[in-house]
C-alpha cells in the first residue's frame, strides 16, 4: 500500500481553548509538514482547495509551488482541484508549471468540491456543477495531451488551435477523481480509465463502498485493464498514542468539540456527505473511518477497510488544532510504526516500476512487502480477487 498526507488547510479555533493560529503560521506548517513527510519516507503530500468557509487553501497552486521548492522526492497532489469552478486552460497552465518545477512529481485529484457557496463566487450555477466538471475535464485532458487544440463546448469559450505552456514535464500527469456522494465522479473516472479517491471521512463504510463497487464495474465495462483501477481512501482523521485508550482519551475533547461545532454550523442540513455522521469519538472509532488508537489498532483498521475497498492508497489527515509538536509526533509514529505493519500485509503496483502511469520524477523505490493476500483470509468470499495488484 502507498500512503499520503492530505491537508485541506482548515483554519479554525481550537474547540476548547479558542486559540487560532495566524494565517502565516498555519500556511508555513503546511510546508514544514510536507518536508517532514518526505523525510519520513511517506509517498505523497496533498493540499486541498476551498474558496468558502474557514480554510486557507484557496490557492493550492501557490502552495504546491512552495512544496515543490522545499522537497525533492515526495509526490505532490491535490485534494481536490475544484475543476467545476476553474478554466481548464488555466488549470493546464498552472499545474504543468508545478509539474515542471517539481521535476515531474505531480498528480492531481479533481472534483466539484464539497462546498455550495463557492459556485456563485465564480459566477457558476450550482445545478450545473457536474456538467461543468465533465466538460472541463474533457477539455483539460486534451490540453495536457495535445497542442493546437480546437474546442467547441457548452460552458467554455471556443478555442482555435490553442497550445498551453509550459507543457507537462514528461507527458500528461495522472489525474484522479474525488468520490464522496455521487455516481458522476466514479462514472467519469471509469469512462477515461482513471483512478479514484474515496473521501471515506464523514459517512459509514457502506456509503463509500457502493461507489467503489460501481467504479470497478463501470471500469471493466469500458474495457480498461482492471489492474489499473487504482483506488485511494481518505480517513476520518488520524491520532495515535501508546494505547488505544490513551489515544481516545486525549483526542476526545478535540474531536467532539469540533463535531459539536459543525453540527451547530450545519443545523438542518440533511444531504449526505455534508455533515459528520459520528458525533462522538467512540462512535467514530467503532463505526466510522477515524484512525484513532495505538499503532497496532490503526494498522488493523486500515487492513480491515481494505477488505472492503481493496484500496491502493491510504490518505491520512492530522488535525491542525493539536499542539504542533504533537502533530509531528503523530505523523512520525504513523510512518515508523503503522506503515510497516500495513505493508507486511498489503501490496500494490501503484507508483512502482510496474505502474506505467507513475510520475516521471517520483524516485522512491518499490517497498518490500511480505504479504500477498492483502490481509484477506484465504476463505474470504472474494477469493483474493485483487491479489494481482
Amino acid at each position: 500500500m502507498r500512503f499520503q498526507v492530505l491537508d485541506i488547510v482548515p483554519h479554525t479555533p481550537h474547540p476548547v481553548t479558542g486559540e487560532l493560529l495566524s494565517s502565516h503560521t498555519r500556511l508555513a506548517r503546511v510546508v514544514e509538514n510536507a518536508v517532514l513527510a518526505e523525510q519520513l519516507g511517506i509517498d505523497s503530500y496533498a493540499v486541498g482547495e476551498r474558496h468558502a468557509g474557514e480554510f486557507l487553501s484557496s490557492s493550492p497552486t501557490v502552495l504546491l509551488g512552495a512544496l515543490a521548492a522545499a522537497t525533492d522526492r515526495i509526490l505532490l497532489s491535490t485534494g481536490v482541484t475544484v475543476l467545476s469552478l476553474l478554466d481548464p486552460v488555466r488549470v493546464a497552465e498552472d499545474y504543468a508549471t508545478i509539474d515542471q518545477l517539481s521535476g515531474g512529481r505531480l498528480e492531481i485529484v479533481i472534483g466539484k468540491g464539497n462546498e455550495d457557496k463557492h459556485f456563485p463566487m465564480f459566477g457558476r450555477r450550482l445545478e450545473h456543477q457536474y456538467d461543468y466538471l465533465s466538460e472541463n475535464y474533457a477539455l483539460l485532458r486534451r490540453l495536457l495531451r495535445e497542442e493546437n487544440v480546437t474546442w467547441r463546448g457548452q460552458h467554455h469559450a471556443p478555442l482555435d488551435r490553442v497550445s498551453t505552456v509550459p507543457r507537462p514535464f514528461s507527458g500528461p500527469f495522472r489525474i484522479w477523481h474525488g468520490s464522496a456522494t455521487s455516481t458522476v465522479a466514479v462514472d467519469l473516472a471509469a469512462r477515461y480509465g482513471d483512478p479514484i479517491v474515496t473521501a471515506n471521512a464523514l459517512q459509514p463504510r457502506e456509503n463509500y463502498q457502493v461507489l467503489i463497487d460501481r467504479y470497478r464495474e463501470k471500469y471493466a465495462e469500458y474495457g480498461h485493464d482492471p489492474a489499473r483501477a487504482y483506488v485511494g481512501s481518505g480517513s476520518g482523521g488520524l491520532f495515535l498514542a501508546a494505547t488505544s485508550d490513551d489515544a481516545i482519551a486525549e483526542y476526545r475533547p478535540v474531536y467532539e468539540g469540533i463535531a459539536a461545532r459543525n453540527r451547530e454550523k450545519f443545523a438542518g442540513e440533511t444531504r449526505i456527505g455534508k455533515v459528520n455522521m459520528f458525533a462522538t469519538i467512540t462512535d467514530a472509532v467503532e463505526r466510522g473511518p477515524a484512525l484513532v488508537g495505538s499503532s497496532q489498532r490503526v494498522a488493523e483498521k486500515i487492513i480491515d477497510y481494505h477488505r472492503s475497498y481493496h484500496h491502493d492508497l491510504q490518505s491520512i489527515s492530522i488535525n491542525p488544532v493539536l499542539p504542533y509538536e504533537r502533530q509531528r509526533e503523530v505523523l512520525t509514529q504513523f510512518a515508523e510504526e503503522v506503515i510497516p505493519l500495513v505493508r507486511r500485509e498489503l501490496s500494490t503496483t501503484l507508483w512502482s516500476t510496474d505502474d506505467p502511469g507513475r510520475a516521471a520524477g517520483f524516485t522512491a523505490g518499490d517497498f518490500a512487502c511480505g504479504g500477498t493476500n492483502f490481509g484477506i483470509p484465504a476463505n474470504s468470499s472474494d477469493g483474493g480477487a485483487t491479489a494481482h495488484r
Side-chain angles (χ1 to χ4, degrees):
M1 181 172 283
R2 295 291 187 174
F3 293 89
Q4 177 190 81
V5 178
L6 166 65
D7 192 346
I8 59 175
V9 204
H11 190 227
T12 57
H14 191 289
V16 178
T17 68
E19 179 187 8
L20 180 65
L21 297 174
S22 71
S23 296
H24 170 75
T25 298
R26 180 69 180 93
L27 289 169
R29 288 181 178 177
V30 175
V31 180
E32 291 168 7
N33 284 339
V35 171
L36 176 60
E38 179 172 82
Q39 292 171 347
L40 292 169
I42 293 173
D43 300 297
S44 174
Y45 197 94
V47 297
E49 178 177 348
R50 293 289 184 110
H51 299 278
E54 298 170 304
F55 298 89
L56 297 178
S57 49
S58 58
S59 299
T61 53
V62 177
L63 269 175
L64 287 171
L67 299 185
T71 60
D72 299 304
R73 179 206 65 81
I74 199 165
L75 194 68
L76 304 177
S77 188
T78 59
V80 300
T81 298
V82 188
L83 192 58
S84 292
L85 298 179
L86 307 175
D87 186 328
V89 174
R90 192 59 201 255
V91 172
E93 294 172 337
D94 284 349
Y95 284 100
T97 300
I98 296 166
D99 197 31
Q100 289 286 350
L101 286 170
S102 67
R105 290 187 288 124
L106 180 71
E107 296 184 354
I108 66 172
V109 183
I110 64 165
K112 55 88 178 173
N114 189 29
E115 178 58 66
D116 297 342
K117 294 179 182 178
H118 57 208
F119 287 98
M121 293 171 61
F122 285 79
R124 298 289 186 175
R125 296 171 60 181
L126 179 63
E127 61 267 30
H128 292 313
Q129 57 186 321
Y130 292 111
D131 298 327
Y132 300 143
L133 177 64
S134 297
E135 180 173 303
N136 286 351
Y137 184 51
L139 177 53
L140 177 62
R141 282 180 62 87
R142 290 195 59 194
L143 291 168
L144 293 174
R145 285 164 171 74
E146 305 172 27
E147 298 184 35
N148 301 314
V149 172
T150 296
W151 173 267
R152 298 292 184 273
Q154 291 185 315
H155 302 290
H156 192 280
L159 301 179
D160 184 21
R161 296 180 60 79
V162 168
S163 300
T164 56
V165 291
R167 304 304 298 160
F169 180 81
S170 181
F173 44 82
R174 174 181 275 146
I175 297 179
W176 301 64
H177 297 249
S179 167
T181 59
S182 169
T183 60
V184 174
V186 297
D187 288 356
L188 192 64
R191 173 186 170 188
Y192 287 105
D194 297 330
I196 65 167
V197 179
T198 182
N200 192 39
L202 305 178
Q203 305 171 60
R205 182 189 318 211
E206 57 269 20
N207 289 19
Y208 301 108
Q209 178 77 63
V210 67
L211 293 172
I212 295 171
D213 290 347
R214 179 185 175 96
Y215 163 69
R216 290 202 170 101
E217 178 183 345
K218 293 293 184 181
Y219 194 97
E221 285 181 8
Y222 280 109
H224 303 299
D225 180 359
R228 305 304 171 202
Y230 293 124
V231 172
S233 173
S235 69
L238 170 71
F239 190 78
L240 298 168
T243 71
S244 292
D245 287 345
D246 289 345
I248 289 171
E250 185 179 351
Y251 196 53
R252 185 186 300 277
V254 170
Y255 180 92
E256 295 185 0
I258 292 174
R261 186 171 180 268
N262 286 342
R263 286 199 306 276
E264 180 180 352
K265 179 180 179 181
F266 293 103
E269 178 63 76
T270 59
R271 288 174 295 172
I272 293 175
K274 294 294 185 181
V275 182
N276 194 334
M277 298 180 68
F278 308 102
T280 68
I281 186 64
T282 303
D283 202 24
V285 170
E286 292 180 355
R287 295 196 312 114
L291 299 175
V292 178
S294 66
S295 295
Q296 180 70 38
R297 180 66 190 95
V298 167
E300 290 171 354
K301 187 166 186 176
I302 292 171
I303 293 168
D304 178 59
Y305 264 69
H306 185 274
R307 295 188 177 100
S308 299
Y309 295 168
H310 306 309
H311 54 301
D312 305 273
L313 170 65
Q314 178 67 57
S315 182
I316 56 99
S317 297
I318 299 174
N319 200 308
V321 305
L322 295 170
Y324 189 46
E325 283 307 309
R326 195 69 182 94
Q327 295 177 45
R328 294 170 71 85
E329 288 171 0
V330 169
L331 185 57
T332 300
Q333 184 177 344
F334 184 82
E336 293 181 350
E337 299 181 8
V338 178
I339 289 178
L341 289 173
V342 175
R343 283 185 170 165
R344 289 175 191 170
E345 302 295 328
L346 309 180
S347 66
T348 178
T349 61
L350 176 66
W351 300 336
S352 74
T353 53
D354 293 326
D355 175 8
R358 170 177 163 144
F362 184 63
T363 56
D366 293 345
F367 56 81
C369 179
T372 57
N373 68 346
F374 296 76
I376 303 169
N379 62 352
S380 170
S381 62
D382 82 349
T386 60
H388 65 286
R389 303 260 303 279

